[in-house]
């Protein structure tokens, strides 16, 4: 559906290329070098960066953790992840595309719908007035951590799948890409502003602060605020991709996680993200609910395509991939 291969390529370099001990030393050294560089980049403010910077770190990490595979596999990493690069680039241009298409920015409409749902109140305003009226509470860094997971967790899951099971990765990425493009089309045709922007422009009388933050506690508030201002998209409120990705991660990992104590944080993840977004002024409740809906639509559409593809595949072609995909992800 997205041109993604389902071939499993955990192919290591042959023993003749490197002695076993040398391979192990190189593998460990490269992995630790990557992790040290990653931490240093976060501490020095190089991360967060632009969209392409995020992708570059993901791809570098994949190569670092599979350094002992043939060089053709490393080249293929770049090709395989090009659809994700396209999504990120299109996201950055949705503001200009919305202006080009001539679609008006929706602000008052979302405020009206939100007030209708909540008997004249706005959940974002209510939460901020009751929880942050006297300044940011002690648990504000936790909000920043939850918000930050949007930029890490979905792609970390994809990278792990890519390293250990290409069928699972392809299956997951189909859903990521379809979900992303559904949202991007919506951003272009129905550009909608988040609460913080609507408040700044006067569509909401009350002040709405942008509290979400960024950085796992390792990025200063000044850097966080500047990054959000630069990377934020004021036409991409409807639906909430933050919520949608959190839901998709939970749905994807649920059948793979067997222990109940691991399923508890997994189940709470989308709700924590929803609270963070509404309280932090990033999204309305209606945006969050539509994020759930878009995930449901994505799963139904992709499942239909996968079943159609499986029915048309010649006998013996991709049998292993089809079997593995159906076994590990029947619930997603």
């Amino acid at each position: 559906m997205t041109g993604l291969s389902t071939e499993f390529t955990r192919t290591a370099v042959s023993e003749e290329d490197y002695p076993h001990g040398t391979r192990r030393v190189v593998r460990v050294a490269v992995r630790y070098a990557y992790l040290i560089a990653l931490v240093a980049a976060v501490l020095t403010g190089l991360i967060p960066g632009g969209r392409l910077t995020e992708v570059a770190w993901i791809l570098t990490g994949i190569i670092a953790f599979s350094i002992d595979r043939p060089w053709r596999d490393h080249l293929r990493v770049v090709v395989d992840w090009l659809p994700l690069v396209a999504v990120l680039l299109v996201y950055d241009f949705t503001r200009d595309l919305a202006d080009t298409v001539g679609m008006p920015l929706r602000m008052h409409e979302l405020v009206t719908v939100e007030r209708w749902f909540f008997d004249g109140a706005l959940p974002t305003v209510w939460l901020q007035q009751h929880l942050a009226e006297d300044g940011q509470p002690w648990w504000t860094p936790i909000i920043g951590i939850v918000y930050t997971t949007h930029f890490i967790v979905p792609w970390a899951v994809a990278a792990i799948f890519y390293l250990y099971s290409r069928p699972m990765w392809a299956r997951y990425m189909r859903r990521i890409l379809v979900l992303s493009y559904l949202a991007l089309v919506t951003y272009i045709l129905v550009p909608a502003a988040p609460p913080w922007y609507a408040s700044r422009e006067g569509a909401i009388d009350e002040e709405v602060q942008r509290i979400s933050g960024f950085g796992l506690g390792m990025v200063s508030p000044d850097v966080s605020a500047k990054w959000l201002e630069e990377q934020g998209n004021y036409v991409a409120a409807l639906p909430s991709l933050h919520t949608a990705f959190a839901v998709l991660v939970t749905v994807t990992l649920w059948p793979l996680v067997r222990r109940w104590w691991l399923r508890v944080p997994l189940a709470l993840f989308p709700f924590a993200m929803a609270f963070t977004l509404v309280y932090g002024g990033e999204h309305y409740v209606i945006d969050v609910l539509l994020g759930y809906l878009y995930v449901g639509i994505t799963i139904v559409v992709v499942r239909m395509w996968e079943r159609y593809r499986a029915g048309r595949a010649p006998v013996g072609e991709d049998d292993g991939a089809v079997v593995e995909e159906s076994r590990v992800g029947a619930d997603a």
Side-chain angles (χ1 to χ4, degrees):
M1 187 175 190
T2 57
L4 302 175
S5 171
T6 57
E7 180 184 350
F8 187 51
T9 58
R10 288 188 65 191
T11 307
V13 178
S14 65
E15 295 289 342
E16 290 76 12
D17 293 330
Y18 293 105
H20 180 73
T22 303
R23 286 171 47 221
R24 179 178 176 80
V25 170
V26 170
R27 183 167 60 243
V28 172
V30 171
R31 291 178 180 180
Y32 275 101
Y34 170 79
L35 293 175
I36 292 172
L38 183 61
V39 172
V42 172
L43 294 177
T44 58
L46 294 177
I47 298 177
R51 313 287 178 194
L52 294 181
T53 302
E54 296 174 20
V55 176
W57 278 100
I58 293 171
L59 300 187
T60 303
I62 291 174
I63 293 173
F65 277 80
S66 59
I67 193 65
D68 56 348
R69 298 184 189 175
W71 65 269
R72 292 182 183 85
D73 284 6
H74 300 320
L75 291 179
R76 189 172 184 180
V77 168
V78 177
V79 176
D80 283 342
W81 286 75
L82 280 178
L84 174 60
V85 176
V87 166
L88 296 176
L89 291 178
V90 172
Y91 178 86
D92 283 336
F93 285 106
T94 50
R95 283 175 287 187
D96 295 333
L97 291 173
D99 291 338
T100 301
V101 175
M103 306 305 294
L105 180 62
R106 308 291 181 179
M107 285 190 292
H108 294 85
E109 294 88 343
L110 270 68
V111 175
T112 300
V113 171
E114 194 86 342
R115 290 191 186 277
W116 181 82
F117 267 110
F118 294 96
D119 196 25
L122 289 176
T124 294
V125 174
W126 189 92
L127 287 171
Q128 292 194 3
Q129 288 178 346
H130 286 77
L131 299 179
E133 185 176 12
D134 299 326
Q136 297 184 4
W138 63 266
W139 42 266
T140 298
I142 300 176
I143 296 296
I145 291 173
V146 174
Y147 189 82
T148 301
T149 60
H150 171 72
F151 306 96
I152 299 174
V153 173
W155 318 122
V157 170
I160 293 170
F161 282 168
Y162 189 84
L163 286 171
Y164 293 100
S165 174
R166 285 182 58 83
M168 292 174 64
W169 170 80
R171 192 173 178 284
Y172 175 69
M173 287 301 291
R174 288 188 199 109
R175 284 150 180 77
I176 285 284
L177 294 175
V178 170
L179 175 61
S180 299
Y181 281 115
L182 284 176
L184 292 175
V185 170
T186 306
Y187 297 156
I188 294 170
L189 298 181
V190 189
W196 65 266
Y197 187 84
S199 174
R200 192 175 75 179
E201 296 299 313
I204 297 176
D205 295 331
E206 300 88 347
E207 179 186 5
V208 174
Q209 303 178 58
R210 203 170 189 188
I211 303 177
S212 298
F214 186 98
L216 298 173
M218 294 185 289
V219 177
S220 70
D222 292 339
V223 172
S224 171
K226 181 180 179 181
W227 189 91
L228 285 173
E229 188 68 25
E230 292 176 351
Q231 303 296 326
N233 191 333
Y234 60 80
V235 307
L238 188 71
S240 168
L241 264 185
H242 287 72
T243 301
F245 280 0
V247 173
L248 185 59
V249 167
T250 294
V251 171
T252 300
L253 296 182
W254 190 264
L256 304 176
V257 176
R258 302 300 182 185
R259 300 185 181 277
W260 69 267
W261 52 272
L262 288 175
R263 282 189 166 186
V264 170
L266 196 59
L268 293 176
F269 182 36
F271 297 102
M273 181 64 75
F275 174 81
T276 294
L277 298 171
V278 176
Y279 166 70
E282 300 294 334
H283 284 283
Y284 299 97
V285 172
I286 186 65
D287 305 334
V288 170
L289 294 177
L290 283 176
Y292 277 83
L293 178 62
Y294 271 54
V295 173
I297 294 172
T298 297
I299 290 174
V300 170
V301 170
V302 177
R303 275 184 178 177
M304 291 175 60
W305 183 86
E306 287 172 344
R307 289 169 181 167
Y308 171 78
R309 172 175 169 270
R312 288 178 57 87
V315 176
E317 181 177 318
D318 287 336
D319 282 349
V322 172
V323 169
E324 181 170 351
E325 287 185 24
S326 62
R327 185 178 69 248
V328 301
D331 296 333

